[in-house]
Coordinates of all heavy atoms in Angstrom, one line a residue:
M4 N 17.4 -10.2 12.7 CA 16.1 -9.6 12.9 C 15.2 -10.5 13.8 O 15.0 -11.7 13.5 CB 15.4 -9.3 11.5 CG 14.8 -10.5 10.9 SD 14.1 -10.2 9.2 CE 12.7 -11.3 9.3
S5 N 14.8 -9.9 14.8 CA 14.0 -10.7 15.8 C 12.7 -10.0 16.1 O 12.6 -8.8 16.1 CB 14.8 -10.9 17.1 OG 14.9 -9.7 17.8
R6 N 11.7 -10.8 16.2 CA 10.4 -10.2 16.5 C 9.7 -11.1 17.5 O 10.1 -12.3 17.6 CB 9.5 -9.9 15.3 CG 9.6 -11.0 14.2 CD 8.7 -10.6 13.0 NE 7.4 -10.3 13.4 CZ 6.4 -10.0 12.6 NH1 6.7 -9.9 11.3 NH2 5.2 -9.8 13.0
S7 N 8.7 -10.6 18.1 CA 8.1 -11.5 19.1 C 6.8 -12.0 18.6 O 6.1 -11.5 17.7 CB 7.8 -10.7 20.4 OG 7.1 -9.5 20.1
C8 N 6.3 -13.1 19.2 CA 5.1 -13.8 18.8 C 3.9 -13.0 19.2 O 3.8 -12.5 20.3 CB 5.1 -15.2 19.5 SG 3.5 -16.0 19.2
P9 N 3.0 -12.7 18.3 CA 1.8 -11.9 18.6 C 0.8 -12.7 19.5 O 0.0 -12.0 20.1 CB 1.2 -11.7 17.2 CG 1.7 -12.8 16.3 CD 3.0 -13.2 16.9
R10 N 1.0 -14.0 19.6 CA 0.0 -14.7 20.4 C 0.5 -14.9 21.8 O -0.2 -14.7 22.8 CB -0.2 -16.1 19.8 CG -1.5 -16.8 20.3 CD -1.4 -18.3 20.2 NE -1.9 -18.8 18.9 CZ -1.9 -20.1 18.5 NH1 -1.5 -21.0 19.4 NH2 -2.3 -20.4 17.4
C11 N 1.8 -15.3 22.0 CA 2.3 -15.5 23.4 C 3.4 -14.6 23.8 O 3.8 -14.6 24.9 CB 2.7 -17.0 23.6 SG 4.2 -17.4 22.7
G12 N 3.8 -13.8 22.9 CA 4.9 -12.8 23.2 C 6.3 -13.4 23.3 O 7.2 -12.7 23.7
S13 N 6.4 -14.6 22.9 CA 7.8 -15.2 23.0 C 8.7 -14.6 22.0 O 8.3 -14.2 20.9 CB 7.6 -16.7 22.7 OG 8.9 -17.3 22.5
Q14 N 10.0 -14.6 22.4 CA 11.0 -14.1 21.5 C 11.6 -15.2 20.6 O 12.4 -14.9 19.7 CB 12.2 -13.5 22.3 CG 11.8 -12.2 23.1 CD 11.5 -11.0 22.2 OE1 12.2 -10.8 21.2 NE2 10.4 -10.3 22.4
R15 N 11.2 -16.4 20.9 CA 11.8 -17.6 20.2 C 11.0 -17.8 18.9 O 10.2 -18.7 18.8 CB 11.8 -18.8 21.1 CG 12.8 -18.8 22.2 CD 12.6 -20.0 23.1 NE 12.7 -21.2 22.3 CZ 12.2 -22.3 22.7 NH1 11.5 -22.4 23.8 NH2 12.4 -23.4 22.0
V16 N 11.3 -16.9 17.9 CA 10.5 -16.9 16.7 C 11.6 -17.2 15.6 O 12.6 -16.6 15.6 CB 9.9 -15.6 16.4 CG1 9.4 -15.4 15.0 CG2 8.7 -15.4 17.4
V17 N 11.2 -18.1 14.7 CA 12.1 -18.5 13.6 C 11.5 -18.1 12.3 O 10.3 -18.1 12.1 CB 12.5 -20.0 13.6 CG1 13.4 -20.3 14.7 CG2 11.2 -20.8 13.6
F18 N 12.4 -17.7 11.4 CA 11.9 -17.3 10.0 C 11.9 -18.6 9.2 O 12.8 -19.4 9.2 CB 12.9 -16.4 9.4 CG 12.5 -15.9 8.1 CD1 11.6 -14.9 8.0 CD2 13.1 -16.4 6.9 CE1 11.2 -14.4 6.7 CE2 12.7 -15.9 5.7 CZ 11.8 -15.0 5.6
C19 N 10.7 -18.8 8.6 CA 10.6 -20.0 7.8 C 10.2 -19.7 6.3 O 9.2 -19.0 6.2 CB 9.7 -21.1 8.4 SG 8.1 -20.4 8.8
N20 N 11.0 -20.1 5.4 CA 10.6 -19.8 4.0 C 10.3 -21.1 3.3 O 11.1 -21.6 2.5 CB 11.7 -19.0 3.3 CG 13.1 -19.5 3.7 OD1 13.3 -20.5 4.4 ND2 14.1 -18.8 3.2
Y21 N 9.2 -21.6 3.6 CA 8.7 -22.9 3.0 C 8.7 -22.8 1.5 O 9.2 -23.7 0.8 CB 7.3 -23.2 3.5 CG 7.2 -23.5 5.0 CD1 6.3 -22.9 5.8 CD2 8.0 -24.5 5.5 CE1 6.2 -23.2 7.1 CE2 7.9 -24.8 6.9 CZ 7.0 -24.1 7.7 OH 6.9 -24.4 9.0
G22 N 8.1 -21.8 1.0 CA 7.9 -21.7 -0.5 C 9.2 -21.7 -1.2 O 9.3 -22.4 -2.2
K23 N 10.1 -20.9 -0.7 CA 11.4 -20.8 -1.3 C 12.1 -22.2 -1.3 O 12.7 -22.6 -2.3 CB 12.3 -19.8 -0.6 CG 13.2 -19.0 -1.4 CD 13.8 -18.0 -0.6 CE 14.7 -17.0 -1.2 NZ 15.1 -16.0 -0.2
R24 N 12.1 -22.8 -0.2 CA 12.7 -24.1 -0.1 C 12.1 -25.1 -1.0 O 12.8 -25.8 -1.8 CB 12.6 -24.6 1.4 CG 13.9 -25.1 2.0 CD 13.8 -25.5 3.4 NE 13.4 -24.4 4.3 CZ 13.0 -24.5 5.5 NH1 12.7 -25.7 6.0 NH2 12.7 -23.5 6.3
I25 N 10.8 -25.2 -1.0 CA 10.1 -26.2 -1.8 C 10.3 -25.8 -3.3 O 10.5 -26.6 -4.2 CB 8.6 -26.3 -1.5 CG1 8.5 -26.8 0.0 CG2 7.8 -27.1 -2.5 CD1 7.1 -26.7 0.6
G26 N 10.1 -24.5 -3.6 CA 10.2 -24.0 -5.0 C 11.6 -24.3 -5.5 O 11.7 -24.8 -6.7
G27 N 12.7 -24.1 -4.8 CA 14.0 -24.4 -5.2 C 14.2 -25.9 -5.5 O 14.8 -26.2 -6.5
Y28 N 13.7 -26.7 -4.6 CA 13.8 -28.2 -4.8 C 13.1 -28.7 -6.0 O 13.6 -29.3 -6.8 CB 13.3 -28.9 -3.5 CG 13.4 -30.4 -3.6 CD1 14.6 -31.0 -3.5 CD2 12.2 -31.1 -3.8 CE1 14.7 -32.4 -3.6 CE2 12.3 -32.5 -3.9 CZ 13.5 -33.1 -3.8 OH 13.5 -34.5 -3.9
V29 N 11.8 -28.3 -6.1 CA 11.0 -28.7 -7.2 C 11.5 -28.2 -8.5 O 11.6 -28.9 -9.5 CB 9.5 -28.2 -7.0 CG1 8.7 -28.5 -8.3 CG2 8.9 -28.9 -5.8
G30 N 11.9 -27.0 -8.5 CA 12.5 -26.3 -9.7 C 13.7 -27.1 -10.2 O 13.9 -27.3 -11.4
T31 N 14.6 -27.4 -9.2 CA 15.9 -28.1 -9.6 C 15.6 -29.5 -10.2 O 16.1 -29.8 -11.2 CB 16.7 -28.3 -8.3 OG1 17.0 -27.0 -7.7 CG2 18.1 -28.9 -8.7
V32 N 14.7 -30.2 -9.6 CA 14.4 -31.6 -10.0 C 13.7 -31.5 -11.4 O 14.1 -32.2 -12.4 CB 13.5 -32.3 -9.0 CG1 13.0 -33.6 -9.6 CG2 14.2 -32.6 -7.7
A33 N 12.6 -30.6 -11.5 CA 11.9 -30.5 -12.7 C 12.8 -30.0 -13.8 O 12.8 -30.5 -15.0 CB 10.7 -29.6 -12.5
G34 N 13.6 -29.0 -13.5 CA 14.5 -28.4 -14.5 C 15.5 -29.4 -15.0 O 15.8 -29.5 -16.2
G35 N 16.1 -30.2 -14.1 CA 17.0 -31.2 -14.4 C 16.5 -32.3 -15.3 O 17.1 -32.7 -16.3
M36 N 15.2 -32.7 -15.0 CA 14.6 -33.8 -15.8 C 14.2 -33.2 -17.2 O 14.4 -33.9 -18.2 CB 13.3 -34.3 -15.1 CG 13.7 -35.4 -14.0 SD 12.5 -35.5 -12.7 CE 11.2 -36.3 -13.5
T37 N 13.7 -32.0 -17.2 CA 13.3 -31.4 -18.5 C 14.6 -31.2 -19.3 O 14.6 -31.6 -20.5 CB 12.6 -30.1 -18.3 OG1 11.6 -30.2 -17.3 CG2 12.0 -29.6 -19.6
G38 N 15.6 -30.7 -18.7 CA 16.9 -30.5 -19.5 C 17.4 -31.8 -20.0 O 17.8 -31.8 -21.2
A39 N 17.5 -32.8 -19.2 CA 18.0 -34.1 -19.6 C 17.1 -34.7 -20.7 O 17.7 -35.2 -21.7 CB 18.1 -35.1 -18.5
A40 N 15.8 -34.6 -20.6 CA 14.9 -35.2 -21.5 C 15.0 -34.5 -22.9 O 15.1 -35.1 -23.9 CB 13.5 -35.1 -21.0
T41 N 15.1 -33.2 -22.8 CA 15.2 -32.4 -24.0 C 16.5 -32.7 -24.7 O 16.5 -32.9 -25.9 CB 15.1 -30.9 -23.7 OG1 14.0 -30.6 -22.8 CG2 15.0 -30.0 -24.9
S42 N 17.5 -32.8 -24.0 CA 18.8 -33.1 -24.6 C 18.9 -34.5 -25.1 O 19.6 -34.7 -26.1 CB 19.9 -32.8 -23.6 OG 20.0 -31.5 -23.2
T43 N 18.2 -35.4 -24.4 CA 18.2 -36.8 -24.9 C 17.4 -36.9 -26.2 O 17.8 -37.6 -27.2 CB 17.7 -37.7 -23.9 OG1 18.4 -37.5 -22.6 CG2 17.9 -39.2 -24.3
A44 N 16.3 -36.2 -26.2 CA 15.4 -36.2 -27.4 C 16.1 -35.7 -28.6 O 16.1 -36.3 -29.7 CB 14.1 -35.5 -27.2
T45 N 16.8 -34.6 -28.4 CA 17.5 -34.0 -29.5 C 19.0 -34.3 -29.4 O 19.9 -33.6 -30.0 CB 17.3 -32.4 -29.6 OG1 17.7 -31.9 -28.3 CG2 15.9 -32.1 -29.8
G46 N 19.3 -35.3 -28.6 CA 20.7 -35.7 -28.3 C 21.6 -35.8 -29.4 O 22.7 -35.3 -29.5
A47 N 21.1 -36.6 -30.4 CA 22.0 -36.9 -31.6 C 22.4 -35.6 -32.2 O 23.6 -35.5 -32.7 CB 21.2 -37.8 -32.6
L48 N 21.5 -34.6 -32.2 CA 21.9 -33.4 -32.9 C 22.6 -32.4 -31.9 O 23.8 -32.1 -32.1 CB 20.5 -32.7 -33.3 CG 20.7 -31.5 -34.3 CD1 21.2 -32.0 -35.7 CD2 19.3 -30.8 -34.4
A49 N 21.9 -32.0 -30.9 CA 22.4 -31.0 -30.0 C 23.6 -31.6 -29.2 O 24.6 -30.9 -29.1 CB 21.3 -30.5 -29.0
G50 N 23.5 -32.8 -28.7 CA 24.6 -33.4 -27.9 C 25.8 -33.5 -28.7 O 26.9 -33.1 -28.2
T51 N 25.7 -33.9 -29.9 CA 26.9 -34.1 -30.8 C 27.5 -32.7 -31.1 O 28.7 -32.5 -31.1 CB 26.6 -34.8 -32.1 OG1 25.9 -36.0 -31.8 CG2 27.8 -35.2 -32.8
R52 N 26.6 -31.8 -31.4 CA 27.0 -30.4 -31.7 C 27.8 -29.8 -30.5 O 28.9 -29.3 -30.7 CB 25.8 -29.5 -32.1 CG 26.3 -28.2 -32.7 CD 25.1 -27.4 -33.0 NE 24.1 -28.0 -34.0 CZ 22.9 -27.7 -34.1 NH1 22.4 -26.7 -33.4 NH2 22.1 -28.2 -35.0
I53 N 27.2 -30.0 -29.3 CA 27.9 -29.4 -28.2 C 29.2 -30.2 -27.9 O 30.2 -29.6 -27.7 CB 27.0 -29.6 -26.9 CG1 25.8 -28.6 -27.1 CG2 27.7 -29.2 -25.6 CD1 24.6 -28.9 -26.1
G54 N 29.1 -31.5 -28.1 CA 30.3 -32.3 -27.9 C 31.4 -31.9 -28.8 O 32.6 -31.9 -28.5
M55 N 31.1 -31.7 -30.1 CA 32.1 -31.3 -31.1 C 32.6 -29.9 -30.8 O 33.8 -29.6 -31.0 CB 31.5 -31.3 -32.5 CG 31.4 -32.7 -33.1 SD 30.4 -32.8 -34.5 CE 31.5 -32.0 -35.7
Q56 N 31.8 -29.1 -30.2 CA 32.3 -27.7 -29.8 C 33.2 -27.8 -28.7 O 34.2 -27.1 -28.6 CB 31.1 -26.8 -29.5 CG 30.5 -26.3 -30.8 CD 29.2 -25.5 -30.5 OE1 28.8 -25.4 -29.4 NE2 28.6 -25.0 -31.6
V57 N 32.9 -28.7 -27.7 CA 33.7 -28.9 -26.5 C 35.1 -29.5 -26.9 O 36.1 -29.1 -26.4 CB 33.0 -29.8 -25.5 CG1 34.0 -30.1 -24.4 CG2 31.8 -29.1 -24.9
G58 N 35.0 -30.5 -27.8 CA 36.3 -31.1 -28.2 C 36.1 -32.1 -29.3 O 35.0 -32.7 -29.4
V59 N 37.2 -32.4 -30.0 CA 37.1 -33.4 -31.1 C 36.9 -34.8 -30.6 O 36.3 -35.6 -31.2 CB 38.3 -33.3 -32.0 CG1 38.1 -34.1 -33.3 CG2 38.7 -31.9 -32.3
I60 N 37.4 -35.0 -29.4 CA 37.3 -36.3 -28.7 C 35.9 -36.8 -28.4 O 35.7 -38.0 -28.2 CB 38.1 -36.4 -27.4 CG1 38.2 -35.0 -26.8 CG2 39.5 -37.0 -27.6 CD1 38.2 -35.0 -25.3
A61 N 34.9 -35.8 -28.4 CA 33.6 -36.1 -28.0 C 33.0 -37.3 -28.7 O 32.6 -38.3 -28.0 CB 32.7 -34.9 -28.2
G62 N 32.9 -37.3 -30.0 CA 32.3 -38.4 -30.8 C 31.0 -38.9 -30.2 O 30.1 -38.1 -30.0
P63 N 30.8 -40.2 -30.0 CA 29.6 -40.7 -29.6 C 29.2 -40.3 -28.1 O 28.1 -40.3 -27.7 CB 29.8 -42.3 -29.6 CG 31.2 -42.5 -30.0 CD 31.8 -41.2 -30.3
G64 N 30.3 -39.9 -27.4 CA 30.0 -39.4 -26.0 C 29.4 -38.1 -26.0 O 28.9 -37.6 -25.0
G65 N 29.3 -37.5 -27.2 CA 28.7 -36.2 -27.3 C 27.2 -36.2 -26.9 O 26.7 -35.2 -26.2
V66 N 26.5 -37.3 -27.2 CA 25.1 -37.4 -26.8 C 25.0 -37.4 -25.3 O 24.2 -36.7 -24.7 CB 24.5 -38.7 -27.4 CG1 23.1 -38.8 -26.9 CG2 24.5 -38.6 -28.9
G67 N 25.8 -38.2 -24.7 CA 25.7 -38.3 -23.2 C 26.1 -37.0 -22.6 O 25.5 -36.5 -21.6
A68 N 27.2 -36.4 -23.1 CA 27.6 -35.1 -22.6 C 26.6 -34.1 -22.8 O 26.3 -33.2 -21.9 CB 28.9 -34.7 -23.3
G69 N 25.9 -34.1 -23.9 CA 24.8 -33.2 -24.2 C 23.7 -33.3 -23.1 O 23.2 -32.3 -22.6
A70 N 23.4 -34.6 -22.8 CA 22.3 -34.9 -21.9 C 22.7 -34.3 -20.5 O 21.9 -33.7 -19.8 CB 22.0 -36.4 -21.8
V71 N 24.0 -34.6 -20.1 CA 24.4 -34.1 -18.8 C 24.4 -32.6 -18.8 O 24.0 -32.0 -17.8 CB 25.9 -34.7 -18.5 CG1 26.4 -34.0 -17.3 CG2 25.8 -36.2 -18.4
L72 N 24.9 -32.0 -19.8 CA 25.0 -30.5 -19.9 C 23.5 -30.0 -19.8 O 23.3 -29.0 -19.1 CB 25.6 -30.1 -21.2 CG 27.1 -29.9 -21.2 CD1 27.6 -29.6 -22.6 CD2 27.5 -28.8 -20.2
G73 N 22.6 -30.6 -20.6 CA 21.2 -30.2 -20.5 C 20.6 -30.3 -19.2 O 19.9 -29.4 -18.7
A74 N 21.0 -31.4 -18.5 CA 20.5 -31.6 -17.1 C 21.0 -30.6 -16.2 O 20.2 -30.0 -15.3 CB 20.8 -33.0 -16.6
I75 N 22.3 -30.3 -16.3 CA 22.9 -29.3 -15.4 C 22.3 -27.9 -15.7 O 21.8 -27.2 -14.7 CB 24.4 -29.2 -15.6 CG1 25.0 -30.6 -15.1 CG2 25.0 -28.0 -14.8 CD1 26.4 -30.8 -15.4
T76 N 22.2 -27.5 -16.9 CA 21.7 -26.2 -17.2 C 20.2 -26.1 -16.9 O 19.7 -25.1 -16.4 CB 21.9 -25.8 -18.7 OG1 21.7 -26.9 -19.5 CG2 23.3 -25.2 -19.0
G77 N 19.5 -27.2 -17.2 CA 18.1 -27.3 -16.9 C 17.8 -27.2 -15.4 O 17.0 -26.5 -14.9
A78 N 18.6 -27.9 -14.6 CA 18.5 -27.9 -13.1 C 18.8 -26.5 -12.6 O 18.1 -26.0 -11.7 CB 19.4 -28.9 -12.5
F79 N 19.8 -25.9 -13.2 CA 20.2 -24.5 -12.7 C 19.1 -23.5 -13.0 O 18.6 -22.8 -12.1 CB 21.5 -24.1 -13.4 CG 22.0 -22.8 -12.9 CD1 22.6 -22.7 -11.6 CD2 22.0 -21.7 -13.7 CE1 23.1 -21.5 -11.1 CE2 22.5 -20.5 -13.2 CZ 23.0 -20.4 -12.0
A80 N 18.6 -23.6 -14.2 CA 17.5 -22.7 -14.6 C 16.3 -22.9 -13.8 O 15.6 -22.0 -13.4 CB 17.2 -22.8 -16.1
G81 N 16.0 -24.2 -13.6 CA 14.8 -24.6 -12.8 C 14.9 -24.2 -11.4 O 13.9 -23.7 -10.8
C82 N 16.1 -24.3 -10.9 CA 16.3 -23.9 -9.5 C 16.1 -22.4 -9.3 O 15.4 -21.9 -8.4 CB 17.7 -24.2 -9.1 SG 18.1 -23.8 -7.3
I83 N 16.6 -21.6 -10.2 CA 16.4 -20.2 -10.2 C 15.0 -19.8 -10.3 O 14.4 -19.0 -9.5 CB 17.2 -19.5 -11.4 CG1 18.7 -19.8 -11.3 CG2 17.0 -18.0 -11.4 CD1 19.4 -19.1 -10.2
A84 N 14.3 -20.4 -11.3 CA 12.8 -20.2 -11.5 C 12.1 -20.6 -10.2 O 11.2 -19.9 -9.8 CB 12.3 -20.9 -12.7
G85 N 12.4 -21.7 -9.7 CA 11.7 -22.2 -8.5 C 11.9 -21.3 -7.3 O 11.0 -21.1 -6.6
L86 N 13.1 -20.8 -7.1 CA 13.4 -19.9 -6.0 C 12.7 -18.6 -6.2 O 12.1 -18.1 -5.2 CB 14.9 -19.6 -6.0 CG 15.8 -20.7 -5.4 CD1 17.3 -20.3 -5.5 CD2 15.5 -20.9 -3.9
R87 N 12.6 -18.2 -7.4 CA 11.9 -16.9 -7.7 C 10.4 -17.1 -7.4 O 9.8 -16.3 -6.7 CB 12.1 -16.5 -9.1 CG 12.7 -15.1 -9.2 CD 13.0 -14.8 -10.7 NE 14.4 -14.6 -10.9 CZ 14.9 -14.6 -12.2 NH1 14.1 -14.8 -13.2 NH2 16.2 -14.3 -12.3
L88 N 9.8 -18.2 -7.8 CA 8.4 -18.5 -7.6 C 8.2 -18.7 -6.1 O 7.2 -18.2 -5.6 CB 8.0 -19.8 -8.4 CG 6.6 -20.1 -8.4 CD1 5.8 -19.1 -9.3 CD2 6.3 -21.5 -8.9
G89 N 9.1 -19.4 -5.5 CA 8.9 -19.7 -4.1 C 9.0 -18.5 -3.2 O 8.2 -18.3 -2.3
K90 N 9.8 -17.5 -3.6 CA 9.9 -16.3 -2.9 C 8.6 -15.5 -3.0 O 8.2 -14.9 -2.1 CB 11.1 -15.5 -3.4 CG 11.5 -14.3 -2.5 CD 12.6 -13.4 -3.1 CE 12.9 -12.3 -2.2 NZ 11.8 -11.6 -1.7
L91 N 8.1 -15.5 -4.2 CA 6.8 -14.9 -4.5 C 5.7 -15.5 -3.6 O 4.9 -14.7 -3.0 CB 6.5 -15.1 -6.0 CG 5.5 -14.0 -6.6 CD1 6.2 -12.7 -6.8 CD2 4.9 -14.6 -7.9
V92 N 5.7 -16.8 -3.5 CA 4.7 -17.5 -2.7 C 4.9 -17.1 -1.2 O 4.0 -16.8 -0.5 CB 4.8 -19.0 -2.9 CG1 4.0 -19.7 -1.8 CG2 4.4 -19.4 -4.3
D93 N 6.2 -17.1 -0.8 CA 6.5 -16.7 0.6 C 6.0 -15.3 0.9 O 5.4 -15.0 1.9 CB 8.0 -16.7 0.8 CG 8.5 -18.1 1.1 OD1 7.7 -18.9 1.6 OD2 9.7 -18.4 0.9
D94 N 6.3 -14.4 -0.1 CA 5.9 -13.0 0.2 C 4.4 -12.7 0.2 O 3.9 -12.0 0.9 CB 6.6 -12.1 -0.9 CG 8.1 -12.0 -0.7 OD1 8.6 -12.4 0.4 OD2 8.8 -11.6 -1.6
Q95 N 3.8 -13.4 -0.8 CA 2.4 -13.2 -1.0 C 1.4 -14.0 -0.2 O 0.4 -13.6 0.3 CB 2.0 -13.3 -2.5 CG 2.9 -12.6 -3.4 CD 2.6 -11.1 -3.4 OE1 1.5 -10.7 -3.2 NE2 3.7 -10.3 -3.5
L96 N 1.8 -15.3 0.0 CA 0.8 -16.3 0.4 C 1.0 -16.9 1.8 O 0.1 -17.1 2.6 CB 0.6 -17.4 -0.6 CG 0.2 -17.0 -2.0 CD1 0.3 -18.2 -2.9 CD2 -1.3 -16.5 -2.0
L97 N 2.3 -17.2 2.1 CA 2.6 -18.0 3.3 C 3.0 -17.1 4.5 O 3.5 -16.0 4.3 CB 3.7 -19.0 3.0 CG 3.4 -20.1 2.0 CD1 4.6 -20.9 1.7 CD2 2.2 -20.9 2.5
Y98 N 2.8 -17.7 5.6 CA 3.3 -17.1 6.9 C 4.8 -17.2 6.8 O 5.3 -18.2 6.4 CB 2.7 -17.8 8.1 CG 1.2 -17.8 8.1 CD1 0.5 -19.0 8.0 CD2 0.5 -16.7 8.4 CE1 -0.8 -19.1 8.0 CE2 -0.9 -16.7 8.4 CZ -1.6 -17.9 8.3 OH -2.9 -17.9 8.3
Q99 N 5.4 -16.2 7.3 CA 6.9 -16.2 7.2 C 7.6 -16.5 8.6 O 8.8 -16.7 8.6 CB 7.4 -14.9 6.7 CG 6.9 -14.7 5.3 CD 7.7 -13.6 4.6 OE1 8.9 -13.4 4.8 NE2 7.0 -12.8 3.8
H100 N 6.8 -16.5 9.6 CA 7.5 -16.7 10.9 C 6.7 -17.8 11.7 O 5.5 -17.9 11.6 CB 7.5 -15.4 11.7 CG 8.3 -14.3 11.1 ND1 7.7 -13.5 10.2 CD2 9.6 -14.0 11.2 CE1 8.7 -12.6 9.8 NE2 9.8 -12.9 10.4
R101 N 7.5 -18.5 12.5 CA 6.9 -19.5 13.3 C 7.4 -19.4 14.8 O 8.6 -19.2 15.0 CB 7.2 -20.9 12.8 CG 6.5 -22.0 13.6 CD 6.7 -23.3 12.9 NE 8.1 -23.7 12.7 CZ 8.8 -24.3 13.7 NH1 8.2 -24.7 14.8 NH2 10.0 -24.6 13.5
C102 N 6.5 -19.4 15.7 CA 6.8 -19.3 17.1 C 7.2 -20.7 17.6 O 6.5 -21.7 17.4 CB 5.6 -18.8 17.9 SG 6.0 -18.8 19.7
Q103 N 8.3 -20.8 18.3 CA 8.8 -22.1 18.7 C 8.1 -22.5 20.0 O 8.3 -23.7 20.5 CB 10.3 -22.1 18.9 CG 11.0 -22.0 17.5 CD 12.5 -22.2 17.6 OE1 13.2 -21.5 18.4 NE2 13.1 -23.2 16.9
D104 N 7.5 -21.6 20.7 CA 6.8 -21.9 22.0 C 5.4 -22.4 21.8 O 4.9 -23.4 22.3 CB 6.9 -20.7 22.9 CG 8.3 -20.5 23.4 OD1 9.0 -21.6 23.6 OD2 8.7 -19.4 23.7
C105 N 4.6 -21.6 21.0 CA 3.2 -22.0 20.8 C 2.9 -22.4 19.4 O 1.8 -22.7 19.1 CB 2.3 -20.8 21.2 SG 2.3 -19.4 20.1
H106 N 3.9 -22.5 18.6 CA 3.8 -23.0 17.2 C 2.8 -22.2 16.3 O 2.2 -22.7 15.4 CB 3.4 -24.5 17.2 CG 4.4 -25.3 18.0 ND1 5.7 -25.5 17.6 CD2 4.2 -25.9 19.2 CE1 6.3 -26.3 18.5 NE2 5.4 -26.6 19.4
A107 N 2.7 -20.9 16.7 CA 1.8 -20.1 15.9 C 2.6 -19.6 14.6 O 3.8 -19.4 14.6 CB 1.4 -18.9 16.7
H108 N 1.8 -19.5 13.5 CA 2.4 -19.0 12.3 C 1.9 -17.6 12.1 O 0.7 -17.3 12.3 CB 2.0 -19.8 11.1 CG 2.9 -21.1 11.0 ND1 2.7 -22.2 11.8 CD2 3.9 -21.4 10.2 CE1 3.6 -23.1 11.5 NE2 4.3 -22.6 10.5
F109 N 2.7 -16.7 11.7 CA 2.3 -15.3 11.5 C 3.1 -14.6 10.5 O 4.2 -15.2 10.0 CB 2.2 -14.5 12.8 CG 3.5 -14.5 13.5 CD1 4.4 -13.5 13.4 CD2 3.8 -15.6 14.4 CE1 5.6 -13.5 14.1 CE2 5.0 -15.6 15.1 CZ 5.9 -14.6 14.9
Ligands
ZN26 ZN1 4.0 -17.9 20.4

């Protein structure tokens, strides 16, 4: 999809989704940290439980595994939420196109 710049008429227009990019990044980091922290806090319980469900070998490693699992699921959930929020920001608030010739946002 190509459109021209309303200011200078240039065809060199790029689509920029700042909100989505930032939202996805922030969501991933925040979600990962929250997930890891939550799992570490309840690690002895949840981690071991998850570890035992995964396999009998888990034992004390269950806590660490639980934290990792929590971080991964947290990061994933955070990324999805961030992307969704970012898309909303893109659609509602931010300019979506940038002219490469006159640097206009529109
Ligand atoms: Zn332009």
Side-chain angles (χ1 to χ4, degrees):
M4 80 185 212
S5 71
R6 41 181 303 180
S7 55
C8 172
R10 198 202 274 179
C11 71
S13 167
Q14 294 290 317
R15 291 175 54 205
V16 165
V17 289
F18 183 78
C19 50
N20 38 9
Y21 293 127
K23 212 174 188 178
R24 230 178 290 165
I25 295 167
Y28 177 73
V29 171
T31 304
V32 173
M36 276 156 72
T37 312
T41 309
S42 293
T43 308
T45 56
L48 193 71
T51 310
R52 194 182 297 160
I53 294 167
M55 280 168 72
Q56 280 172 356
V57 170
V59 193
I60 27 149
V66 175
V71 172
L72 273 174
I75 292 169
T76 39
F79 186 69
C82 184
I83 300 289
L86 281 175
R87 239 178 239 165
L88 188 73
K90 193 184 182 311
L91 201 75
V92 171
D93 277 335
D94 290 345
Q95 307 288 325
L96 301 168
L97 295 176
Y98 303 110
Q99 296 195 38
H100 298 87
R101 183 170 61 85
C102 174
Q103 289 188 305
D104 286 328
C105 72
H106 304 291
H108 280 79
F109 55 95

